[in-house]
């Protein structure tokens, strides 16, 4: 009735699905619609169940209607949002549920990430406009993560917050449970180990569970049994209008501690060295759409590589990815979508308030994850600008108030002497591309420049440092000896030069290195990008370049030097 429509898979980015070039770079409103039939039991009862519509993420501004009634509006991609649609569907005749979504991917100076619209009014050409962005990955759009309908009782468990600590042979799990819909309720909790044995019990909305001789959550390659998770079952019973209601929620819990000193990053009291990667949610055809086979392939490659960590560059990743990090023991620097904050107007109060709201959503989603060992509030902002001091002081303080249990950082590429945000972080995260963007082709500058970088930052701030990005583009199959830029040999040579300096400084105050990037990924078209960014150690199709073997040898050597490796794998168990 509204005009031409096309089928669109969900979850997926819409950009690469069709042969229409105008959709590839489309900016503006798109509309999604789907009709489903709800089970009659969802619509009946006294009290009737609560019916909720949940979106894993949608890029970037969403308005949602159910049966023509607006139910939710949400600003920002990468994070979930939901709406209680009980009154709409239970008040409508029949069980038909028509879900309509209006989605706008326009970026402004006040969104996260920011952007701007430039109108090209050249009279000699056809008028058009472009979306300008200050980040180097393709601005995919669409409903990128699952959309689900679920129910709860009218009185339900709304939120659970868990923090953990341990000392000697005792683990402690502090909990806080929020119930909505009834004040006449009771709560019982039981903590089970991986064999299903109850190891601690509790009751009430606030309390502490004590676990004797706990199995701690350890990162991959730091312990023979990494990623150990207990199951916390929270059971609520409530009286509502004379009816007994029950709600049950099971939360994975890892018992572990994180602490930062002036020169170390400690997990469970032991020094931890990040040897990992930066990634992107990016793949052929589906763009940023959730893809389970790709996710599992990536985790297999991470473990093959000997990587114990990654940063969610440059936005929060899907909950399904985070679940596997918890289970496999992959430590995560959990980053907000604060990438490309370059314009002075992006440091104003309007942007700041949105950034604070985004951090609230991110912390609420991921606060209970043992894999999340640090928050990152931004990547490569213009932190040399004077307004950055107040901006990052406020964002970091707000994040610490939301979650006092984790360190907070942002990733900088500013000069150490000019960075106004660095005084407020717990760990210095620095991006540098010596012999690539600086002194291109001159590998010999790396030892001097990288050593000076580390020494200047540490002398100024006396905080541990992570080399949060470094790398070089390489075109798969392009070879050159002596090494030339864009060849696989040059990428290998650059990594080795960085590693020689990192090996010296990790004995002092450098606590990590994250290669840029895990895999090639799509970007906007430009004269420096040949079908995307080629800094991956794997291709976009997840095939290794020569640099992958350099990094694998290094990461396994580091792990062997400092950690307890797991026993050799002699069989394969497949879990669905």
């Amino acid at each position: 009735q509204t005009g031409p429509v096309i089928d669109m898979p969900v979850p997926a980015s819409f950009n690469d699905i069709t042969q229409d070039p105008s959709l590839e770079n489309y900016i503006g409103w798109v509309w999604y619609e789907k009709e489903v039939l709800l089970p009659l039991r969802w619509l009946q009862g006294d009290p009737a169940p609560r019916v909720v519509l949940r979106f894993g993420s949608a890029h970037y501004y969403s308005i949602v209607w159910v049966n023509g009634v607006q139910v939710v509006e949400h600003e920002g991609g990468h994070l979930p949002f939901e709406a209680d649609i009980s009154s709409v569907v239970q008040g409508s005749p029949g069980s038909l549920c028509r879900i309509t979504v209006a989605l706008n991917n326009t970026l402004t100076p006040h969104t996260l990430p920011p952007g701007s619209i430039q109108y090209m009014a050249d009279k000699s050409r056809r008028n058009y406009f472009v979306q300008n962005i200050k980040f180097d990955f393709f601005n995919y759009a669409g409903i990128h993560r699952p959309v689900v309908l679920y129910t709860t009782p009218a009185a339900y468990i709304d939120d659970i917050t868990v923090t953990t600590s341990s000392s000697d042979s005792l683990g402690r799990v502090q909990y806080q449970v929020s119930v909505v819909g009834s004040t006449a309720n009771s709560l019982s909790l039981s903590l089970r180990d991986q064999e299903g044995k109850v190891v601690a019990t509790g009751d009430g909305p606030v309390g502490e569970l004590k676990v004797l001789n706990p199995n701690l959550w350890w990162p991959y390659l730091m312990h023979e049994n990494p990623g150990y998770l207990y199951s916390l079952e929270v059971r609520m019973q409530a009286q509502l209008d004379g009816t007994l209601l029950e709600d049950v929620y099971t939360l994975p819990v890892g018992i572990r501690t994180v602490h930062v000193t002036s020169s170390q990053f400690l997990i469970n009291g032991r020094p931890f060295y990040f040897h990992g990667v930066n990634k992107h949610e990016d793949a052929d055809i589906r763009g940023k759409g959730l893809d389970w086979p790709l996710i599992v392939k990536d985790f297999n490659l991470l473990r093959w590589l000997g990587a114990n960590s990654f940063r969610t560059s440059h936005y929060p990743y899907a909950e399904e990815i985070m679940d596997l990090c918890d289970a496999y023991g992959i430590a995560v620097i959990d980053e907000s979508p604060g990438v490309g904050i370059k314009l002075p107007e992006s440091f104003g109060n309007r942007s700041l308030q949105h950034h604070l709201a985004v951090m609230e959503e991110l912390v609420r989603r991921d606060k209970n994850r043992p894999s999340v060992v640090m928050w990152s509030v931004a990547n490569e902002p213009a932190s040399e600008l004077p307004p950055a001091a107040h901006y990052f002081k406020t964002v970091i303080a707000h994040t610490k108030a939301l979650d006092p249990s984790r360190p907070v950082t942002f990733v900088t590429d500013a000069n150490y002497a000019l960075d106004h945000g660095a005084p407020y972080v717990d760990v210095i995260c620095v991006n540098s591309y010596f012999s690539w963007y600086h002194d291109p082709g001159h590998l010999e500058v790396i030892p001097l420049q990288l050593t000076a970088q580390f020494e200047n930052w540490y002398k100024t701030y006396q905080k541990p440092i992570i080399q949060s990005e470094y790398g070089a583009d390489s075109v798969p199959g392009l070879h050159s000896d002596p090494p030339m830029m864009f060849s696989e040999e040059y990428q290998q040579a650059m990594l080795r030069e960085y590693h020689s300096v990192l090996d010296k400084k990790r004995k002092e105050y450098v606590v990590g290195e994250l290669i840029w990037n895990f895999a090639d990924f799509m970007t906007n078209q430009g004269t420096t990008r040949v079908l995307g960014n080629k800094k991956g150690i794997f291709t976009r199709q997840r095939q290794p370049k020569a640099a992958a073997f350099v990094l694998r040898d290094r990461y396994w050597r580091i792990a062997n030097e400092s950690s307890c490796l797991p026993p050799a794998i002699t069989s394969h168990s497949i879990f669905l």
Side-chain angles (χ1 to χ4, degrees), residues 239-256:
Q239 289 285 340
L240 186 63
D241 299 330
T243 302
L244 180 64
L245 302 176
E246 186 175 61
D247 192 19
V248 181
Y249 193 91
T250 302
L251 179 74
V253 172
I255 300 175
R256 64 106 182 92

Side-chain angles (χ1 to χ4, degrees), residues 469-502:
E469 287 184 27
Y470 71 104
D473 286 76
S474 69
V475 178
L478 186 64
H479 297 287
S480 173
D481 185 23
M484 300 285 284
M485 292 179 70
F486 292 97
S487 69
E488 293 195 43
E489 287 76 14
Y490 192 91
Q491 188 181 37
Q492 286 181 298
M494 176 194 267
L495 266 57
R496 291 191 175 108
E497 292 291 345
Y498 264 80
H499 295 164
S500 66
V501 178
L502 287 163

Side-chain angles (χ1 to χ4, degrees), residues 33-94:
E33 191 164 78
K34 184 177 181 66
E35 292 184 346
V36 297
L37 293 175
L38 301 182
L40 288 177
R41 64 182 181 276
W42 287 18
L43 310 176
Q44 300 168 348
D46 187 18
R50 174 174 164 265
V51 182
V52 181
L53 173 63
R54 187 181 194 271
F55 290 77
S57 75
H59 283 40
Y60 284 96
Y61 193 91
S62 307
I63 307 173
V64 183
W65 295 260
V66 171
N67 294 342
V69 178
Q70 184 175 327
V71 294
V72 68
E73 200 167 336
H74 184 259
E75 181 178 358
H78 312 290
L79 288 165
F81 59 96
E82 64 182 29
D84 183 339
I85 63 171
S86 310
S87 61
V88 177
V89 297
Q90 290 164 359
S92 302

Side-chain angles (χ1 to χ4, degrees), residues 547-572:
F549 297 94
V550 172
L551 210 61
R552 183 175 191 258
D553 289 345
R554 173 173 178 77
Y555 284 177
W556 282 99
R557 175 171 58 82
I558 292 174
N560 276 301
E561 288 172 1
S562 59
S563 306
C564 177
L565 295 179
I569 297 174
T570 57
S571 63
H572 295 276

Side-chain angles (χ1 to χ4, degrees), residues 227-242:
Y228 192 96
L229 295 174
Y230 291 87
S231 295
L232 178 63
E233 181 186 274
V234 182
R235 186 175 297 271
M236 178 218 73
Q237 288 187 330
Q239 289 285 340
L240 186 63
D241 299 330

Side-chain angles (χ1 to χ4, degrees), residues 22 30 36 73 116 185 197 206 264 300 332 458 537 572:
S22 66
V30 298
V36 297
E73 200 167 336
S116 61
N185 64 75
K197 178 184 176 182
V206 179
Q264 291 182 314
N300 283 325
V332 176
Y458 193 73
I537 58 170
H572 295 276

Side-chain angles (χ1 to χ4, degrees), residues 77 95 382 436 439 528:
S95 58
W436 191 259
D439 302 295
T528 62

Side-chain angles (χ1 to χ4, degrees), residues 24 44 59 92 119 129 202 228 241 253 271 274 312 314 325 376 397 422-423 427 471-472 474 477 490 534 538 570:
E24 173 75 20
Q44 300 168 348
H59 283 40
S92 302
Y119 290 91
F129 68 88
Y228 192 96
D241 299 330
V253 172
F274 294 81
T312 68
H314 298 296
C325 291
S376 171
V427 177
S474 69
Y490 192 91
K534 294 293 190 287
F538 297 100
T570 57

